Amino acid sequence: MTAKGAGRKPPSYRRWPAWQAALLCSAAILPLTSVLLWADWRDVAAPIGVGGSVMAVLGGVLLRQSRRLARTEEALFHSEKHLRQLNASLQTELDIAALAFDTHLGMFITDAKGNICKANPTFERITGYRAEEVLGLNPRILNSGRHDADFYREMWTGIHAQGSWQGEVWNRRKNGEIYPQWVTISAVKDGAGKPSHYVATLSDITLRRAAEQEAHRLAFYDPLTGLPNRRMLLDRMALALRKYSDEGEQGALMFIDLDGFKHVNDSLGHQAGDELLQLTAKRIADISGDSALVARLGGDEFVILVEVLGHSVADASQRMERVASRLLSKLAEPCWIGQRRHLLSGSIGITLLNAGASDADETLQQAEMAMYQAKQAGRNTWRFFDPTMQAVAVRRALFESELRQAERRNELQLHYQIQVDRHGSATGVEALLRWRHPEYGMVPPYDFIPIAEESYLIISIGHWALMSACRQLAEWAGDAETAGLSMAVNISPLQFQQADFVERLEEVLQVTGAYPERLKLELTENLFLQEPDAVRDTMLRIKALGVRFSLDDFGTGYSSLSYLNRLPLDQLKIDQSFVRPLFEDVANEVICASIIDLARNLGLEVIAEGVETQAHRDWLEQQGCHAFQGYLFGRPVPMSTLRVQLRELAATAGR
Ligand code: C2E
Ligand code: MG
Ligand code: MG
């Protein structure tokens, strides 16, 4: 790299001082020597001494002057050369910078305050902003909103500590599009070490990200169905297993293999087979819901991973059983491939994942083994790998079939629990179901009502309870001791939502001759979660018959309170879970007091259930609750015992 003008000759004045100085010196020395040679020195000594001295001084001065001049001249020459070289290299650096600035990287420079003072064409291409538009603005205009304040704080800490930072940043283009980019920011420091500018480079990595995603998709998903593949399943299982060891939680794995798929594939060809697999994938995904992971292992093998199933083995097996049963009916729906109708079925193996489970591979093998047992048992069914789960499932299935026969075998029975007013007088009872099991004895409703609901048996069982309670109510009407009592009957949402519920209720009232005014239906909040308008219509029709409504277990549901004044309710029933431990937690007191207030403000009656002590009763009365139900007054008892209770109560209340 040669700078222009380097190597040119030095200027001409550099040559004269040497010979001129020599001439001057000889001019001073020559007369002196000739005089010394040819004359008596004493005659000439004085004038020569003076003249010589003058000449010598003059020569010395001239010589020094000329040397200094030469040095200055030389220095001047060097500095000019240096300047020229410097100019040249500065120009080069500027050329390089300009060239670098115009690159495939987006670049912008900000001043110390962070305001943009220069941006290159690639910046314009990436961001969609023209350089003039952003001059003087803060790069914040590019923020996508995807990063929080901490992110930017860390970025600036990096820039200040190390002088530069780089990382992936999601920004927003002028057209609103959000895109990923790789960003490098460097601080340029002034002589005092303070940042004077910041230089940022950006490269759009949208395409790279898309390519990475595609690679990820190929590695972890099944191309035919789009479902996660074995690799992803095993990864997720390993994660889940690690979690279970920490939290005591459990999950389950369901292994599904289509029955007779090979036959379809062989006889109709792979195209038809593929279509069938895609359809099956969709059906399985529909049934398992969003929270489960559905994977295809290959062929006609699918797996569902359900991660969160709570702590109880019994609950977990029940839930998986329900999924299996729904899945089998979904698979059994006829499907069309081309012009042909097909009937499918599957065999399912289920195993638990929890802290005691072995690794992911082994757990998968267990589920597969259970699936083979299902195949052996005749296909289109499920089997549990875990003996306890299997036992629970078997017991439950048996229980359900026994419950189905309970009504016919006269094993169902109603018990009655007294409700009292503030004076301790009985105002009514709540009818509560009991199942007298030939082997287990008296089964409490908490053990069989959920099974009855899942199997829809609650519709006929509930009808039986309603009929029996109304028969009792009609019988009481003719007896002075019981004539004034009301009868509360629990109605399950499923039963209430039957299209003919109102007609059947009318029929019950007619057949039994019970006074509708003495009948109170206990509904729960979950009834209002779906189709609240339809529920309201049905309630209004029932209300028109003279029947009353109580809202049971109030405070335990999740529904909004806004429905309360839109429904023809008569009573709120404070749930026993707040009353029994009333003084154990101040929150219970607050909840009870609020419910009582709410009832008063809405013009509704309020009753507290689970009243076990006199202190409960007194506190509740003080808050304004004047109706009570609980062990303090009487447990649920059969009719014969109820009579005894009523007499005892009448005696105490009268006192
Ligand atoms: P529920 O309607 O909230 O009934 C109140 C439950 O609380 C009854 O349990 C009753 O025995 C209990 N209980 C009342 N006072 C106290 C007390 O002071 N202390 C304690 N520890 N418990 C008290 P039960 O009879 O076991 O009934 C449980 C649930 O079964 C009922 O809750 C109700 O949801 C359901 N159920 C009972 N009979 C029927 C029915 O005929 N049809 C429907 N659909 N569900 C019913
Ligand atoms: Mg109740
Ligand atoms: Mg209740």
Side-chain angles (χ1 to χ4, degrees), residues 201-214:
T201 64
L202 337 162
S203 61
D204 190 337
I205 52 175
T206 312
L207 291 177
R208 197 208 298 173
R209 269 294 110 78
E212 280 168 13
Q213 269 169 11
E214 181 59 14

Side-chain angles (χ1 to χ4, degrees), residues 414-415 417 430-434 444-446 448-449 453 458 461-462 464-466 489-493 495 522 524 552-553 573 575-576 580 609-613 616 629-636:
L414 283 183
H415 279 192
Q417 186 176 27
E430 176 175 8
L432 293 158
L433 260 174
R434 298 291 181 264
Y446 286 121
F448 71 88
I449 299 273
E453 275 175 337
I458 192 69
I461 291 179
W464 178 90
L466 186 63
V489 179
N490 294 284
I491 305 292
S492 150
Q495 188 185 354
E522 289 198 4
T524 46
D552 202 1
D553 304 345
K573 196 165 186 184
D575 191 56
Q576 48 169 305
R580 283 195 285 132
E609 70 179 341
V611 181
E612 294 188 339
T613 67
H616 288 160
Q629 177 183 341
Y631 290 177
L632 177 65
F633 310 99
R635 292 182 176 242

Side-chain angles (χ1 to χ4, degrees), residues 330-619:
K330 184 80 187 177
L331 289 179
E333 285 172 14
C335 57
W336 290 86
I337 301 291
Q339 301 295 308
R340 289 182 61 168
R341 186 170 178 267
H342 292 272
L343 288 175
L344 274 180
S345 70
S347 297
I348 297 176
I350 308 168
T351 192
L352 267 191
L353 273 106
N354 53 27
S358 25
D359 65 11
D361 273 316
E362 221 166 291
T363 312
L364 193 59
Q365 278 172 25
Q366 291 176 353
E368 191 176 3
M369 278 164 66
M371 181 276 292
Y372 281 120
Q373 285 171 13
K375 290 255 186 218
Q376 274 167 10
R379 304 172 162 204
N380 194 27
T381 186
W382 65 85
R383 283 292 177 272
F384 285 99
F385 172 80
D386 314 67
T388 39
M389 276 183 107
Q390 186 63 35
V392 168
V394 168
R395 212 179 312 128
R396 215 190 87 95
L398 186 69
F399 208 52
E400 190 181 309
S401 82
E402 287 173 336
L403 184 59
R404 214 173 277 282
Q405 300 168 51
E407 191 186 326
R408 198 173 40 79
R409 291 184 183 167
N410 263 329
E411 290 168 4
L412 293 179
Q413 192 180 333
L414 283 183
H415 279 192
Y416 303 95
Q417 186 176 27
I418 277 179
Q419 299 180 335
V420 302
D421 64 12
R422 58 198 297 206
H423 308 294
S425 304
T427 53
V429 298
E430 176 175 8
L432 293 158
L433 260 174
R434 298 291 181 264
W435 176 17
R436 205 164 355 94
H437 190 278
E439 203 180 318
Y440 308 133
M442 203 63 94
V443 183
Y446 286 121
D447 286 351
F448 71 88
I449 299 273
I451 295 176
E453 275 175 337
E454 276 159 30
S455 54
Y456 295 85
L457 278 173
I458 192 69
I459 297 166
S460 69
I461 291 179
H463 183 71
W464 178 90
L466 186 63
M467 180 70 92
S468 311
C470 286
R471 208 170 273 139
Q472 191 64 73
L473 195 57
E475 209 182 294
W476 285 348
D479 183 336
E481 200 172 43
T482 50
L485 295 178
S486 67
M487 175 76 77
V489 179
N490 294 284
I491 305 292
S492 150
L494 264 178
Q495 188 185 354
F496 190 90
Q497 279 158 346
Q498 291 301 296
D500 59 353
F501 179 69
V502 183
E503 284 77 16
R504 292 190 83 182
L505 173 65
E506 275 181 298
E507 195 189 307
V508 167
L509 290 170
Q510 211 170 25
V511 170
T512 59
Y515 290 128
E517 294 75 15
R518 298 237 175 272
L519 180 64
K520 190 156 65 179
L521 301 187
E522 289 198 4
L523 307 179
T524 46
E525 282 170 274
N526 50 0
L527 174 64
F528 311 123
L529 289 180
Q530 289 155 4
E531 302 186 72
D533 291 336
V535 170
R536 180 168 177 269
D537 289 349
T538 311
M539 284 178 76
L540 286 170
R541 285 170 63 202
I542 296 171
K543 190 84 192 155
L545 301 175
V547 174
R548 301 193 308 138
F549 289 106
S550 180
L551 191 48
D552 202 1
D553 304 345
F554 189 68
T556 58
Y558 298 100
S559 49
S560 89
L561 293 179
S562 61
Y563 63 83
L564 272 185
N565 60 352
R566 302 211 311 118
L567 298 174
L569 288 168
D570 299 279
Q571 187 182 59
L572 296 186
K573 196 165 186 184
I574 309 175
D575 191 56
Q576 48 169 305
S577 63
F578 306 119
V579 180
R580 283 195 285 132
L582 185 61
F583 303 121
E584 284 164 30
D585 184 345
V586 73
N588 292 330
E589 293 180 29
V590 173
I591 291 167
C592 287
S594 309
I595 296 176
I596 294 166
D597 264 4
L598 189 67
R600 189 177 26 240
N601 291 330
L602 291 171
L604 299 176
E605 294 164 27
V606 63
I607 183 168
E609 70 179 341
V611 181
E612 294 188 339
T613 67
Q614 188 66 34
H616 288 160
R617 189 217 156 274
D618 293 346
W619 186 90

